[in-house]
Structure formats: C-alpha cells, structure tokens
Amino acid sequence: MHSVVISGTGLWVAPEVLSNDELVVAFNAYSRRFNEENALAIAVGEVNAVPDSSVEFIEKASGIKQRYVVDKAGILDPTRMRPRIAPRPDDKLSLSAEMAVAAATEALAAAGRDAAEIDMVLCAASNLQRPYPAMAVEIQGALGAGGYAFDMNVACSSATFALEQAINSVRTGSARAALVVSPEICSAHLAWKDRDCHFIFGDVCTALVVERADTAQAAVTWEVLGSKLATSYSNSIRNNAGFLWRCEDRNPDDRDQLFRQEGRKVFKEVCPMAAEHIGNHLATLGLTAAGVRRFWLHQANLAMNQLIGRRLLGHEASADEAPVILDEFANTASAGSIIAFHRHSQDLKSGDVGVICSFGAGYSIGSIVVRKN
Ligand SMILES: CC(C)(COP(=O)(O)OP(=O)(O)OC[C@H]1O[C@@H](n2cnc3c(N)ncnc32)[C@H](O)[C@@H]1OP(=O)(O)O)[C@@H](O)C(=O)NCCC(=O)NCCS
C-alpha cells in the first residue's frame, strides 16, 4: 500500500457574474407577466399566482450574494428563464470537457505533472452532459492522459466519492496518478421560475490531482489520512430527468425534470448526519474536531455550515475554521468543498490537519481528512 497525497488543485469559473439584484428583477418581471397572463384563472382559483422573490430573503435564508453562470442573458430573459447554450458538433470539445480541461490544466501545473503522467481520469458531477461516450474519456483524450477514465454521479458528493476512488486506486497501485474533475453546469438543471430555489446554484469546474506520496513533485502536498463515504436513501432532493423522458411522453420543462428539494427537511436531516459523520471519521483516525485546523465544507447554505460547525466544535465556526465561498459562487454542487479547499488552504502550516466534506442528494456524505506536508 502506498501513501497518497493531493498534489494539485484547479478551478474554472464561469465567465458571467449574476447578482441577486439582477436575478430578482428578472424573476419579478417574469412573475408579473405570468400573473397578468393568467389573471382570470388566478381569480377563480385554478392557477396559483407566482409571488415575488426578494434579495433580502435570499441573503438571509442562504448567505448567497451572487453566482457565476455560463449564460446570463437567457436566465434573465423573463420569456425564457434558462441559460442559452449553443449545441456543439461532435468533432468539437463539449462544454463540460472544455471546463474540465481548463481546471485540470491548472491542477496539473500545481502538481508539476504532465497529463501523460495521469493514468486515471474521473469526471464526477451532479449532472453529466451525456450518457456516452463518458465525459471522462473525452477529457482524458483532450488532455493527452493515459490509462482509463470513467464518469460518476453522486450529486453534491460526486467529487469526494471520486476522490476516494482515486485515493484507493493510487494506494493499491492500480494507478500512479489520478485526476478528479467536477464540471458543474448547475444553471442548466435549475428551475429559474421557482422562487423557492431560483437563487441556489452557480457554474464552475474543479480539478484535483491525487498521486503517490513517494514520487510527488509539488512544492505543497496534502497527505490523505483517511476517507469515509456514507449514503442513506431520501427523496428530499431529487431530479427525475433521464433518458426515459421521451418514452414517458414527458416535457423536459416538467417541474420534476429539474432540481427540486424540501429545503427545510434537508437542512434538519443533513446537518446532524454530516456533523456525526465527520466526528466519527476523525475518531477512527484518533483525531478530534478541536485538533482540526480547517473544515472545507460543502457550500449549500451558510446557516447549515454554521450549525455543523457548532455541533462539531461547540462554538460557531469562524471563517478561518470553516471558510465560506457560497456568498461568491452560490451552491456549486460537488465542487463547493473543493473550491473552499482550493481557495483557502495556502495559509495552513506543515502538520496542520483539515477535513474536506460534502453532503447532498442521496443523501450522500463524503469526508477526506488531509494533513499538510
Ligand atoms: C432553500 C433554503 C435556502 C430555503 O430557506 P428556508 O428558510 O428553509 O425557507 P423556506 O423554503 O421555508 O421559505 C420560507 C418562506 O419564504 C418564502 N420564500 C421562498 N423563496 C423566497 C424568495 N426567493 N423570496 C421571498 N420569499 C421566499 C417561502 O415561500 C416561505 O413563505 P411562507 O412561510 O409564507 O410559506 C434552505 O431551506 C436551504 O438552503 N436548505 C438546505 C438546502 C441544501 O442543502 N440543499 C442541498 C442541495 S444540493
């Protein structure tokens, strides 16, 4: 068994910033329009009026202030309310692969590795652009990586679950160096006409290089002390979109073909699960939360992370103990905890221990405990 390190991280950020103000103005233009067009049906109780959204609610309920998206004009058009993404011919790099190649190039540079030295590529995201050929194989080809590649989807825990596969493959010697990429085009699965969730997501891609400690070349590496995954079935976060839609005579705009959740329930059920999971994981490694220098938590909701911090530490986690990136990026599904790690790890000292932890649909929870070399 080999000792394993994370030796590089990379981040691709979608090109357009979308503020809460812009989002709410567009949503309220849509709701006014909808209510005018359906005035009669609303008056007789056949259709529910669409209530307005508000910036104050969004910031208080979630902590989100803005997000990055691949196309803002389509989202802000009250007659469209979804990003406009041009289809690409089969002989051009697909959008997910383009995002992944950019993030991977940064991660490989940080690790001091050529793509040809990678022999496992995992594309792990909550939405994969197509069923086959696997996105990961396209990314492997575009980068010039060797070995093999495959796709994984465990919703918001896709990146941590893929990290464990990469770690175990390197640990056992079936791969020398692995790349985990998470292209998250969340704006394409979001119901922008639903005020309960229209503010939640943004678009990014993260990348991580995992390799053997004894041959790593990066100036900074993170020794993997352990990884722990858990799942427990729940319908509280769900998206029914899938290849049966055509045979079910469904409309891709049907509400259940997009992200939906029971936010309160998720909040109540997932926070204690995540805190207990991290606490138990640390205990198996002979560690305690008090001995952890930093928690890079999934970025769905600020209050969620504050509650998990309180349960683990006995006090509200400071931004230094559990950095927040969701104010800038919103929820980026599986990429959130990896962005936090990418953005907020340089200042740690050699020997400092940190925990990367995701939680989300499934339910699924994944934690990776690392120590800075
Ligand atoms: C989604 C979330 C931010 C909503 O916050 P919340 O405090 O639970 O808010 P609720 O949905 O209970 O709504 C509270 C009220 O605000 C209203 N409201 C909802 N969206 C609104 C908006 N955009 N603007 C104004 N009011 C809004 C609701 O209709 C509700 O009104 P009511 O009390 O009259 O029924 C929060 O539940 C959450 O983040 N949960 C966890 C999410 C998560 O981790 N998901 C994982 C996804 S990967």
Side-chain angles (χ1 to χ4, degrees):
M1 293 287 177
H2 301 289
S3 187
V4 181
V5 293
I6 297 174
S7 55
T9 59
L11 173 66
W12 175 91
V13 179
E16 303 193 356
V17 182
L18 175 54
S19 71
N20 286 343
D21 283 320
E22 294 170 297
L23 188 63
V24 166
V25 167
F27 182 91
N28 292 346
Y30 156 75
S31 67
R32 233 184 349 268
R33 199 184 149 93
F34 177 92
N35 294 340
E36 278 164 17
E37 283 172 6
N38 294 280
L40 271 177
I42 291 168
V44 297
E46 279 169 12
V47 170
N48 291 327
V50 176
D52 280 354
S53 183
S54 92
V55 171
E56 296 68 34
F57 171 86
I58 294 171
E59 292 185 4
K60 191 160 174 280
S62 70
I64 295 165
K65 299 204 167 107
Q66 61 163 50
R67 73 283 299 139
Y68 299 97
V69 290
V70 292
D71 173 63
K72 154 168 156 174
I75 295 167
L76 293 182
D77 176 352
T79 64
R80 180 176 172 91
M81 306 289 277
R82 60 184 190 278
R84 187 170 276 108
I85 298 174
R88 297 182 181 186
D90 288 356
D91 61 353
K92 291 273 178 298
L93 200 61
S94 54
L95 177 59
S96 282
E98 183 180 295
M99 295 159 63
V101 166
T105 302
E106 187 184 354
L108 288 165
R113 288 277 170 218
D114 284 336
E117 296 173 292
I118 297 291
D119 46 19
M120 178 191 206
V121 178
L122 298 177
C123 178
S126 54
N127 291 284
L128 294 157
Q129 192 175 327
R130 61 166 181 261
Y132 51 83
M135 298 310 303
V137 180
E138 184 182 358
I139 295 160
Q140 174 199 26
L143 287 167
Y148 62 100
F150 62 91
D151 290 350
M152 287 179 55
N153 179 354
V154 200
C156 289
S157 287
S158 298
T160 53
F161 274 53
L163 254 181
E164 178 169 279
Q165 308 321 306
I167 290 162
N168 288 345
S169 297
V170 173
R171 210 184 279 297
T172 56
S174 68
R176 288 165 310 165
L179 181 68
V180 174
V181 288
S182 298
E184 292 285 9
I185 313 174
C186 299
S187 65
H189 85 150
L190 183 52
W192 295 94
K193 293 179 180 171
D194 181 346
R195 79 164 184 165
D196 288 345
C197 66
H198 76 119
F199 53 89
I200 288 185
F201 288 107
D203 303 333
V204 297
C205 181
T206 53
L208 296 143
V209 176
V210 174
E211 59 179 307
R212 280 169 56 167
D214 58 353
T215 51
Q217 295 167 359
V220 175
T221 59
W222 298 83
E223 183 188 355
V224 176
L225 301 181
S227 59
K228 184 176 164 72
L229 312 180
T231 50
S232 169
Y233 188 58
S234 163
N235 272 325
S236 301
I237 312 171
R238 193 168 171 118
N239 181 342
N240 285 339
F243 78 107
L244 293 182
W245 74 272
R246 195 172 61 95
C247 308
E248 291 173 343
D249 298 326
R250 303 292 300 272
N251 178 340
D253 273 344
D254 284 351
R255 186 62 191 87
D256 79 323
Q257 304 289 299
L258 298 169
F259 166 88
R260 67 209 154 105
Q261 71 166 348
E262 292 178 62
R264 286 269 153 133
K265 199 164 171 229
V266 172
F267 197 106
K268 277 200 204 107
E269 291 177 351
V270 169
C271 289
M273 278 170 73
E276 196 186 343
H277 178 98
I278 296 172
N280 289 342
H281 188 188
L282 289 169
T284 63
L285 298 168
L287 298 166
T288 62
V292 172
R293 175 68 185 82
R294 188 156 291 163
F295 293 92
W296 298 285
L297 299 177
H298 177 51
Q299 303 280 321
N301 180 297
L302 183 58
M304 248 177 140
N305 288 10
Q306 286 168 340
L307 181 56
I308 293 168
R310 269 200 302 280
R311 280 186 175 243
L312 276 168
L313 296 166
H315 63 263
E316 189 137 312
S318 64
D320 184 55
E321 290 167 311
V324 177
I325 58 98
L326 64 83
D327 52 345
E328 178 184 348
F329 288 89
N331 184 342
T332 51
S334 74
S337 59
I338 310 300
I339 302 174
F341 177 60
H342 172 79
R343 280 276 180 93
H344 298 282
S345 52
Q346 292 82 350
D347 59 316
L348 265 59
K349 296 191 188 61
S350 174
D352 282 345
V353 169
V355 180
I356 300 169
C357 183
S358 68
F359 35 87
Y363 295 132
S364 57
I365 304 181
S367 55
I368 316 288
V369 181
V370 292
R371 182 169 53 209
K372 191 167 188 176
N373 280 322

PDB file of all heavy atoms in Angstrom, residues 271-286:
ATOM      1  N   CYS A 271     -27.764  18.195   8.423  1.00  0.00           N
ATOM      2  CA  CYS A 271     -26.764  18.803   9.337  1.00  0.00           C
ATOM      3  C   CYS A 271     -26.302  17.821  10.417  1.00  0.00           C
ATOM      4  O   CYS A 271     -25.091  17.608  10.574  1.00  0.00           O
ATOM      5  CB  CYS A 271     -27.308  20.082   9.973  1.00  0.00           C
ATOM      6  SG  CYS A 271     -27.431  21.404   8.779  1.00  0.00           S
ATOM      7  N   PRO A 272     -27.241  17.191  11.174  1.00  0.00           N
ATOM      8  CA  PRO A 272     -26.754  16.252  12.190  1.00  0.00           C
ATOM      9  C   PRO A 272     -26.006  15.059  11.597  1.00  0.00           C
ATOM     10  O   PRO A 272     -25.003  14.605  12.159  1.00  0.00           O
ATOM     11  CB  PRO A 272     -28.024  15.779  12.914  1.00  0.00           C
ATOM     12  CG  PRO A 272     -29.181  16.331  12.179  1.00  0.00           C
ATOM     13  CD  PRO A 272     -28.692  17.380  11.230  1.00  0.00           C
ATOM     14  N   MET A 273     -26.472  14.594  10.415  1.00  0.00           N
ATOM     15  CA  MET A 273     -25.770  13.459   9.773  1.00  0.00           C
ATOM     16  C   MET A 273     -24.330  13.834   9.445  1.00  0.00           C
ATOM     17  O   MET A 273     -23.398  13.062   9.677  1.00  0.00           O
ATOM     18  CB  MET A 273     -26.481  13.079   8.457  1.00  0.00           C
ATOM     19  CG  MET A 273     -27.684  12.195   8.612  1.00  0.00           C
ATOM     20  SD  MET A 273     -28.588  12.054   7.037  1.00  0.00           S
ATOM     21  CE  MET A 273     -27.487  10.993   6.127  1.00  0.00           C
ATOM     22  N   ALA A 274     -24.160  15.031   8.868  1.00  0.00           N
ATOM     23  CA  ALA A 274     -22.817  15.444   8.431  1.00  0.00           C
ATOM     24  C   ALA A 274     -21.895  15.639   9.642  1.00  0.00           C
ATOM     25  O   ALA A 274     -20.737  15.197   9.635  1.00  0.00           O
ATOM     26  CB  ALA A 274     -22.902  16.722   7.607  1.00  0.00           C
ATOM     27  N   ALA A 275     -22.434  16.279  10.711  1.00  0.00           N
ATOM     28  CA  ALA A 275     -21.597  16.525  11.899  1.00  0.00           C
ATOM     29  C   ALA A 275     -21.180  15.192  12.532  1.00  0.00           C
ATOM     30  O   ALA A 275     -20.013  15.001  12.901  1.00  0.00           O
ATOM     31  CB  ALA A 275     -22.356  17.389  12.899  1.00  0.00           C
ATOM     32  N   GLU A 276     -22.134  14.254  12.634  1.00  0.00           N
ATOM     33  CA  GLU A 276     -21.825  12.954  13.235  1.00  0.00           C
ATOM     34  C   GLU A 276     -20.811  12.189  12.367  1.00  0.00           C
ATOM     35  O   GLU A 276     -19.880  11.563  12.877  1.00  0.00           O
ATOM     36  CB  GLU A 276     -23.122  12.147  13.367  1.00  0.00           C
ATOM     37  CG  GLU A 276     -22.987  10.977  14.314  1.00  0.00           C
ATOM     38  CD  GLU A 276     -24.238  10.101  14.323  1.00  0.00           C
ATOM     39  OE1 GLU A 276     -25.300  10.561  13.864  1.00  0.00           O
ATOM     40  OE2 GLU A 276     -24.117   8.957  14.773  1.00  0.00           O
ATOM     41  N   HIS A 277     -21.009  12.268  11.056  1.00  0.00           N
ATOM     42  CA  HIS A 277     -20.123  11.578  10.116  1.00  0.00           C
ATOM     43  C   HIS A 277     -18.680  12.068  10.290  1.00  0.00           C
ATOM     44  O   HIS A 277     -17.751  11.270  10.406  1.00  0.00           O
ATOM     45  CB  HIS A 277     -20.613  11.839   8.682  1.00  0.00           C
ATOM     46  CG  HIS A 277     -19.762  11.238   7.615  1.00  0.00           C
ATOM     47  ND1 HIS A 277     -20.055  10.038   7.013  1.00  0.00           N
ATOM     48  CD2 HIS A 277     -18.600  11.657   7.033  1.00  0.00           C
ATOM     49  CE1 HIS A 277     -19.130   9.744   6.116  1.00  0.00           C
ATOM     50  NE2 HIS A 277     -18.236  10.724   6.100  1.00  0.00           N
ATOM     51  N   ILE A 278     -18.518  13.389  10.322  1.00  0.00           N
ATOM     52  CA  ILE A 278     -17.156  13.949  10.444  1.00  0.00           C
ATOM     53  C   ILE A 278     -16.550  13.554  11.792  1.00  0.00           C
ATOM     54  O   ILE A 278     -15.392  13.128  11.875  1.00  0.00           O
ATOM     55  CB  ILE A 278     -17.170  15.490  10.278  1.00  0.00           C
ATOM     56  CG1 ILE A 278     -17.619  15.865   8.860  1.00  0.00           C
ATOM     57  CG2 ILE A 278     -15.787  16.076  10.566  1.00  0.00           C
ATOM     58  CD1 ILE A 278     -17.862  17.366   8.651  1.00  0.00           C
ATOM     59  N   GLY A 279     -17.374  13.690  12.863  1.00  0.00           N
ATOM     60  CA  GLY A 279     -16.883  13.350  14.206  1.00  0.00           C
ATOM     61  C   GLY A 279     -16.425  11.896  14.269  1.00  0.00           C
ATOM     62  O   GLY A 279     -15.331  11.588  14.793  1.00  0.00           O
ATOM     63  N   ASN A 280     -17.235  10.986  13.713  1.00  0.00           N
ATOM     64  CA  ASN A 280     -16.881   9.556  13.726  1.00  0.00           C
ATOM     65  C   ASN A 280     -15.639   9.279  12.887  1.00  0.00           C
ATOM     66  O   ASN A 280     -14.786   8.475  13.261  1.00  0.00           O
ATOM     67  CB  ASN A 280     -18.042   8.701  13.183  1.00  0.00           C
ATOM     68  CG  ASN A 280     -19.199   8.663  14.165  1.00  0.00           C
ATOM     69  OD1 ASN A 280     -19.028   8.975  15.341  1.00  0.00           O
ATOM     70  ND2 ASN A 280     -20.368   8.300  13.683  1.00  0.00           N
ATOM     71  N   HIS A 281     -15.568   9.967  11.729  1.00  0.00           N
ATOM     72  CA  HIS A 281     -14.406   9.748  10.859  1.00  0.00           C
ATOM     73  C   HIS A 281     -13.125  10.165  11.583  1.00  0.00           C
ATOM     74  O   HIS A 281     -12.134   9.435  11.595  1.00  0.00           O
ATOM     75  CB  HIS A 281     -14.580  10.522   9.554  1.00  0.00           C
ATOM     76  CG  HIS A 281     -13.531  10.203   8.534  1.00  0.00           C
ATOM     77  ND1 HIS A 281     -13.413  10.898   7.365  1.00  0.00           N
ATOM     78  CD2 HIS A 281     -12.541   9.270   8.515  1.00  0.00           C
ATOM     79  CE1 HIS A 281     -12.404  10.397   6.659  1.00  0.00           C
ATOM     80  NE2 HIS A 281     -11.866   9.421   7.334  1.00  0.00           N
ATOM     81  N   LEU A 282     -13.180  11.346  12.208  1.00  0.00           N
ATOM     82  CA  LEU A 282     -11.989  11.827  12.927  1.00  0.00           C
ATOM     83  C   LEU A 282     -11.612  10.854  14.039  1.00  0.00           C
ATOM     84  O   LEU A 282     -10.431  10.542  14.237  1.00  0.00           O
ATOM     85  CB  LEU A 282     -12.253  13.229  13.492  1.00  0.00           C
ATOM     86  CG  LEU A 282     -12.328  14.350  12.439  1.00  0.00           C
ATOM     87  CD1 LEU A 282     -12.847  15.646  13.060  1.00  0.00           C
ATOM     88  CD2 LEU A 282     -10.945  14.583  11.802  1.00  0.00           C
ATOM     89  N   ALA A 283     -12.631  10.329  14.757  1.00  0.00           N
ATOM     90  CA  ALA A 283     -12.356   9.412  15.875  1.00  0.00           C
ATOM     91  C   ALA A 283     -11.634   8.150  15.389  1.00  0.00           C
ATOM     92  O   ALA A 283     -10.715   7.662  16.054  1.00  0.00           O
ATOM     93  CB  ALA A 283     -13.666   9.045  16.584  1.00  0.00           C
ATOM     94  N   THR A 284     -12.030   7.648  14.201  1.00  0.00           N
ATOM     95  CA  THR A 284     -11.357   6.430  13.700  1.00  0.00           C
ATOM     96  C   THR A 284      -9.882   6.699  13.388  1.00  0.00           C
ATOM     97  O   THR A 284      -9.084   5.778  13.315  1.00  0.00           O
ATOM     98  CB  THR A 284     -12.023   5.878  12.405  1.00  0.00           C
ATOM     99  OG1 THR A 284     -11.898   6.861  11.375  1.00  0.00           O
ATOM    100  CG2 THR A 284     -13.487   5.530  12.612  1.00  0.00           C
ATOM    101  N   LEU A 285      -9.542   7.970  13.212  1.00  0.00           N
ATOM    102  CA  LEU A 285      -8.142   8.326  12.912  1.00  0.00           C
ATOM    103  C   LEU A 285      -7.410   8.815  14.166  1.00  0.00           C
ATOM    104  O   LEU A 285      -6.282   9.319  14.086  1.00  0.00           O
ATOM    105  CB  LEU A 285      -8.111   9.420  11.831  1.00  0.00           C
ATOM    106  CG  LEU A 285      -8.708   9.036  10.478  1.00  0.00           C
ATOM    107  CD1 LEU A 285      -8.889  10.259   9.589  1.00  0.00           C
ATOM    108  CD2 LEU A 285      -7.821   8.004   9.785  1.00  0.00           C
ATOM    109  N   GLY A 286      -8.103   8.695  15.335  1.00  0.00           N
ATOM    110  CA  GLY A 286      -7.500   9.151  16.593  1.00  0.00           C
ATOM    111  C   GLY A 286      -7.428  10.664  16.678  1.00  0.00           C
ATOM    112  O   GLY A 286      -6.579  11.218  17.376  1.00  0.00           O
TER     113      GLY A 286
END
